[in-house]
Amino acid sequence: MRIPFIAGNWKMHKTPEESIKLAKEIDDFLKNNEDIEVDVLICPPFTSLYAVSKEIKNPKIQLGAQNMSYEEEGAFTGEISPLMLKEMNVKYVILGHSERRQLFGEKDEEINKKIKKALEHDLKPILCVGETLEERESGKEKEKVKKQITEDLKDIDKEKASSITIAYEPIWAIGTGKTASSNDANDMIKYIRSILKEIYGMDVSEKIRIQYGGSVKPHNINELMNKSDIDGALVGGASLKSKDFNEIIDF
Ligand code: PEP
């Protein structure tokens, strides 16, 4: 059985003080609602990770980073290494987010290197994949997602693959208020699991959690989570307000 997995991607929002406040509000909610059986992840900006890791000691809230270098150390101005993340109690790292791909030119080859490096250091990658509106309208969404998964997971061992999470995030649904219909999201997630089965076999493919991301809000989480194959959500905008994020956790 895969435990539902709700992650908040705070993007470039929240100073360290604001991050502590938001993290505490989520922490309090979880402490007051101990029966909630959901894995919760928050991904503040790099500059807040240390402060949040010192304040929040609740094992029910894991800490994630929004990106990572595939290098460990050296003359790489502005980059953050997996070793630095680990020391701040970071357990997960979002890789291949569409904003990194589209705005910062990240390619599948680089994402593949990052996933390998994260796994080498026991950081759990959340690999984001998804099609543009143009690709969906021309019926090429599955082709695109298959290409991303195949290239991003190239030469990644079966033994390590089950610690990866995939986030299916159609680019046209991110931050736009447009959500994929729950049927379309479920259909794509089923397809992703079939690709994982081809690569890693049934056992591993059944262990990998696949989230949906793209304008997830308190009003649509329930319908999405009721679908057979959706294991959780990667939430952007609605993870910035504790009221909304807590309602999503408590779907
Ligand atoms: C995201 O950033 O991964 C995301 C899905 O954002 P939003 O929920 O705001 O669409």
Side-chain angles (χ1 to χ4, degrees):
M1 234 260 310
R2 296 182 295 270
I3 298 170
F5 185 20
I6 307 286
N9 173 14
W10 297 2
K11 310 194 186 191
M12 199 173 72
H13 295 283
K14 307 285 175 192
T15 64
E17 289 302 325
E18 290 166 347
S19 298
I20 291 173
K21 183 172 177 288
L22 177 54
K24 277 186 175 162
E25 287 163 1
I26 299 165
D27 184 35
D28 286 345
F29 178 77
L30 285 171
K31 282 182 182 147
N32 292 329
N33 294 277
E34 280 187 347
D35 52 328
I36 293 179
E37 282 187 35
V38 172
D39 285 344
V40 177
L41 178 73
I42 53 173
C43 304
F46 290 128
T47 45
S48 294
L49 287 171
Y50 186 71
V52 173
S53 77
K54 289 286 162 199
E55 287 288 332
I56 305 296
K57 300 290 181 198
N58 184 348
K60 286 195 139 184
I61 306 181
Q62 301 286 325
L63 206 52
Q66 300 173 18
N67 186 23
M68 189 199 82
S69 170
Y70 54 76
E71 297 288 352
E72 288 174 6
E73 191 177 41
F76 303 103
T77 303
E79 291 292 295
I80 302 288
S81 103
L83 303 171
M84 296 167 184
L85 296 179
K86 285 201 76 173
E87 211 176 294
M88 294 188 291
N89 211 21
V90 168
K91 304 285 187 221
Y92 287 83
V93 56
I94 298 173
L95 294 172
H97 191 280
S98 61
E99 286 153 16
R100 302 283 336 154
R101 294 178 191 259
Q102 290 202 311
L103 306 174
F104 302 99
E106 278 192 20
K107 299 276 175 286
D108 290 307
E109 197 186 341
E110 188 182 345
I111 295 162
N112 176 249
K113 281 192 195 172
K114 291 184 178 192
I115 295 176
K116 285 180 180 155
K117 189 52 79 176
L119 291 170
E120 192 184 315
H121 290 284
D122 293 322
L123 288 164
K124 296 176 183 170
I126 298 182
L127 167 64
C128 301
V129 296
E131 78 285 358
T132 61
L133 186 58
E134 204 184 349
E135 286 158 345
R136 175 155 286 262
E137 283 175 347
S138 55
K140 296 204 166 113
E141 68 275 15
K142 289 193 169 154
E143 191 186 311
K144 168 69 176 291
V145 166
K146 183 169 189 175
K147 181 175 179 295
Q148 288 179 321
I149 293 192
T150 318
E151 293 183 12
D152 298 346
L153 297 183
K154 189 165 177 262
D155 298 330
I156 285 169
D157 295 350
K158 191 175 171 168
E159 291 68 48
K160 296 208 162 174
S162 52
S163 69
I164 298 172
T165 297
I166 310 278
Y168 166 57
E169 300 207 308
I171 296 170
W172 48 269
I174 297 180
T176 56
K178 289 183 196 162
T179 332
S181 74
S182 54
N183 283 339
D184 284 350
N186 196 51
D187 181 50
M188 179 62 95
I189 286 177
K190 262 191 191 158
Y191 176 65
I192 292 174
R193 201 172 303 286
S194 77
I195 302 168
L196 295 172
K197 190 172 159 202
E198 268 172 38
I199 307 177
Y200 295 116
M202 177 77 144
D203 223 36
V204 172
S205 73
E206 286 297 321
K207 285 187 185 136
I208 296 178
R209 291 189 287 191
I210 311 179
Q211 299 171 316
Y212 167 77
S215 298
V216 173
K217 308 285 176 205
H219 72 83
N220 57 24
I221 184 69
N222 201 32
E223 185 182 342
L224 289 161
M225 292 305 291
N226 274 336
K227 290 287 163 190
S228 59
D229 285 71
I230 302 180
D231 298 323
L234 180 55
V235 186
S239 70
L240 296 172
K241 287 196 183 126
S242 57
K243 186 179 173 294
D244 289 350
F245 192 62
N246 291 342
E247 273 183 50
I248 291 174
I249 293 169
D250 194 17
F251 64 88

